[in-house]
Amino acid sequence: MGIQKRLVGSYFVVICLTVLILEVILNISVRYYYFHNIEQTLMNQAELSASFYQQYFGDEDLEEQSDRLLKGFASHSDAQVQIINAEGRLLQDSNGIQGDFTMTDYMDVQEAMKGQPGSWKGEDPVTEEAIFAVSYPLQAKGNIVGEVRFITSLTETIHTVNQIAVLLIGVGLLVIGIVTLLGLLLSWTITRSIKDLKLAADQMSEGDFSIRVQKRYQDELGSLADTLNMMASRISKSEQLKNDFITSVSHELRTPLTSIKGWVITLKAAEGSNQALFHDGLDIIESESDRLTHMVDELLDFSKMDNGRIAIHLTSVDLTELLQHIGRQLTPRATRQGISLEVKIEENLPVIQADENRVKQVMINLIDNSLKFTSSSGRILISAHTVPGKVVITVEDTGSGIAETDLENVRQKFYKGDQQASGSGLGLSISEQIITLHQGELRISSTLGKGTIVQFDLPRK
């Protein structure tokens, strides 16, 4: 069963139960109101008549005065009036009923004979219509000498009560109809959004992340639509980055492999006759092999980072020695490219707690990027200084710089602002993850055509 049917069904059941309970309460209240009013009216008339008898006819014989009493009682009431003696025999009836009738079979008369006002509802034995009767004891000198009985027909009252009941039922059915329509409308507004979400989710499960869910209302479903759209947008972006990464890695892997294969063929053909050529070929093969190894290492680090398995092992690290060693390691490459590589370190740089290999990986990655994008006669400066609580390390170059549109994206996985640049596009992303694991922060500023400054800080010991 669909959500819409369940919602409408739930609303329908709840409103039906509510209306049913209200109908029962209202109908009982209406019946009670009308019948209670009749009883009270008759009881007041009977009490007034009994009081009148006791005050003005208490010394008279009831049977002898019954005719006068009947005329007096009946003149002030539209109800049928009966005068009954102490034994329960009917003396007078305002409807002209004659005969020796015994009234002791009626409950109201029995109560009155005991000295208590009584009431009774039933059917008239002659007309078989519904009637209501009230009997009140007539007392003289402290003794019960008879009863006065007021009787009224309930036909009109029952008819009125039934009309009101029909009206209430009609109103109840109208309310049920209106609420059912509102339930249909409300469920439609809910299920329409859910159907949109389901359709979009189905298309996304098929790999179509271009779909977007229409946000119909500012509610929880609207927020879910925003979340789904954002997720689709990010997946689409990740898919694009993945495709770019595959294209880039394929190209990057093919280039060194082609170079290695070409030199192997060249060296085989030379057969050792040219030692200079032989050494140049081996150097290039070694360089390209190192390049392949670096790319594989980046991919392995990315895999660990993506699965949350990249870890650091803290030891005491002498930054001065580490940075100078890295400078010496990369100076030959910088010299070959005609680039000035300088290391400028503040004196008495403190020992820090860090993973030396990971910090070295970050530094080599940053300097490698500077070497790639700095032209001949350019300059790269490695510096380090202390600030309260941490050490700040800077790699500054005079290279081509990074466009402002690319600056916010260069830390993303697989992103390469210059698609002609070599590399996997993972270096900065991995470097930032390593710095974050060291409780530090990586910052990049750049001016297109003037150079780039990359800084990161590491907590002091």
Side-chain angles (χ1 to χ4, degrees):
M1 183 183 292
I3 293 177
Q4 186 173 13
K5 290 183 179 179
R6 280 186 288 166
L7 283 174
V8 175
S10 299
Y11 292 146
F12 185 77
V13 169
V14 170
I15 195 60
C16 283
L17 288 174
T18 304
V19 170
L20 178 61
I21 293 171
L22 288 176
E23 289 285 344
V24 171
I25 293 173
L26 289 173
N27 277 285
I28 291 174
S29 299
V30 168
R31 291 180 66 85
Y32 174 79
Y33 172 78
Y34 275 90
F35 292 131
H36 181 70
N37 278 352
I38 291 173
E39 181 181 6
Q40 286 297 110
T41 300
L42 294 179
M43 192 65 73
N44 289 338
Q45 292 177 352
E47 184 179 6
L48 184 61
S49 299
S51 177
F52 178 81
Y53 170 80
Q54 185 176 4
Q55 185 173 358
Y56 296 103
F57 292 90
D59 296 331
E60 305 289 336
D61 182 78
L62 177 63
E63 189 168 347
E64 293 178 357
Q65 301 297 327
S66 61
D67 185 57
R68 291 178 60 190
L69 289 172
L70 180 65
K71 291 178 181 180
F73 295 162
S75 64
H76 296 92
S77 175
D78 295 329
Q80 178 184 355
V81 182
Q82 294 177 337
I83 306 296
I84 305 168
N85 67 11
E87 289 77 27
R89 185 168 58 86
L90 178 63
L91 299 178
Q92 296 288 338
D93 188 300
S94 62
N95 284 356
I97 298 176
Q98 300 293 328
D100 189 13
F101 293 100
T102 301
M103 310 296 292
T104 54
D105 291 336
Y106 296 101
M107 292 181 59
D108 58 310
V109 177
Q110 295 174 10
E111 290 294 321
M113 292 174 67
K114 296 177 183 178
Q116 298 293 329
S119 61
W120 171 80
K121 184 175 69 173
E123 288 186 358
D124 188 290
V126 178
T127 62
E128 296 184 351
E129 65 175 337
I131 60 173
F132 194 93
V134 169
S135 295
Y136 207 94
L138 298 175
Q139 296 183 1
K141 299 178 181 180
N143 297 317
I144 298 174
V145 296
E147 299 85 28
V148 60
R149 191 177 192 226
F150 284 78
I151 306 167
T152 187
S153 172
L154 294 178
T155 302
E156 289 298 324
T157 303
I158 292 174
H159 179 68
T160 302
V161 169
N162 289 339
Q163 283 184 323
I164 295 174
V166 170
L167 178 62
L168 290 175
I169 291 172
V171 171
L173 292 175
L174 179 62
V175 170
I176 290 174
I178 292 173
V179 173
T180 301
L181 289 176
L182 290 175
L184 285 170
L185 178 62
L186 178 61
S187 64
W188 177 73
T189 60
I190 295 173
T191 56
R192 181 172 61 163
S193 298
I194 294 175
K195 287 178 181 177
D196 290 343
L197 291 169
K198 182 181 182 300
L199 179 62
D202 288 341
Q203 290 185 254
M204 289 180 188
S205 68
E206 297 295 328
D208 180 11
F209 297 104
S210 63
I211 188 70
R212 293 294 180 269
V213 184
Q214 181 181 355
K215 184 178 180 179
R216 300 184 182 275
Y217 307 102
Q218 297 290 339
D219 56 8
E220 289 80 359
L221 292 176
S223 299
L224 182 58
D226 287 339
T227 302
L228 199 62
N229 289 336
M230 185 182 300
M231 181 185 72
S233 177
R234 289 181 177 177
I235 292 176
S236 297
K237 194 172 184 179
S238 296
E239 285 291 312
Q240 182 61 42
L241 289 174
K242 182 192 72 174
N243 293 334
D244 292 343
F245 166 72
I246 292 173
T247 302
S248 175
V249 168
S250 299
H251 172 75
E252 295 297 331
L253 290 175
R254 187 180 295 110
T255 301
L257 288 174
T258 301
S259 179
I260 291 172
K261 183 176 181 180
W263 274 102
V264 168
I265 294 173
T266 300
L267 294 178
K268 282 184 177 180
E271 296 182 354
S273 58
N274 189 335
Q275 289 296 319
L277 179 65
F278 186 76
H279 284 292
D280 287 342
L282 290 180
D283 287 340
I284 292 174
I285 290 172
E286 181 182 13
S287 174
E288 294 301 316
S289 298
D290 290 340
R291 183 177 168 189
L292 285 173
T293 301
H294 178 68
M295 291 183 66
V296 171
D297 287 341
E298 278 193 340
L299 292 174
L300 289 174
D301 281 340
F302 163 69
S303 177
K304 291 179 181 179
M305 181 180 69
D306 210 38
N307 293 318
R309 294 186 293 109
I310 190 169
I312 57 173
H313 304 283
L314 300 179
T315 57
S316 296
V317 178
D318 186 340
L319 271 180
T320 301
E321 182 181 342
L322 175 63
L323 295 178
Q324 288 177 347
H325 172 75
I326 293 172
R328 290 192 299 270
Q329 179 180 345
L330 295 176
T331 294
R333 177 183 169 185
T335 302
R336 288 196 303 270
Q337 296 181 212
I339 299 171
S340 171
L341 177 62
E342 300 178 25
V343 179
K344 187 177 180 180
I345 302 173
E346 183 182 274
E347 291 185 5
N348 301 319
L349 208 61
V351 174
I352 64 169
Q353 287 292 317
D355 187 321
E356 184 173 355
N357 289 330
R358 290 298 184 184
V359 174
K360 183 177 180 180
Q361 177 183 353
V362 171
M363 288 300 302
I364 291 176
N365 180 270
L366 297 180
I367 299 170
D368 181 68
N369 285 340
S370 294
L371 289 170
K372 287 178 184 177
F373 297 101
T374 302
S375 58
S376 177
S377 74
R379 177 173 175 265
I380 299 174
L381 174 64
I382 303 170
S383 61
H385 66 279
T386 58
V387 296
K390 47 183 139 176
V391 177
V392 180
I393 302 170
T394 305
V395 177
E396 180 179 357
D397 64 56
T398 58
S400 58
I402 303 171
E404 187 175 351
T405 54
D406 294 326
L407 198 57
E408 293 297 323
N409 301 316
V410 292
R411 309 176 197 216
Q412 295 181 7
K413 295 173 284 190
F414 313 135
Y415 185 85
K416 294 191 292 181
D418 182 0
Q419 293 301 321
Q420 303 301 321
S422 62
S424 63
L426 290 172
L428 277 177
S429 178
I430 294 172
S431 297
E432 184 173 37
Q433 180 74 6
I434 292 172
I435 298 303
T436 301
L437 290 173
H438 280 84
Q439 308 300 316
E441 180 184 3
L442 182 71
R443 299 176 293 278
I444 304 174
S445 61
S446 182
T447 303
L448 195 62
K450 293 186 178 181
T452 301
I453 300 175
V454 182
Q455 286 186 326
F456 66 91
D457 48 64
L458 299 171
R460 297 176 62 174
K461 184 175 179 182

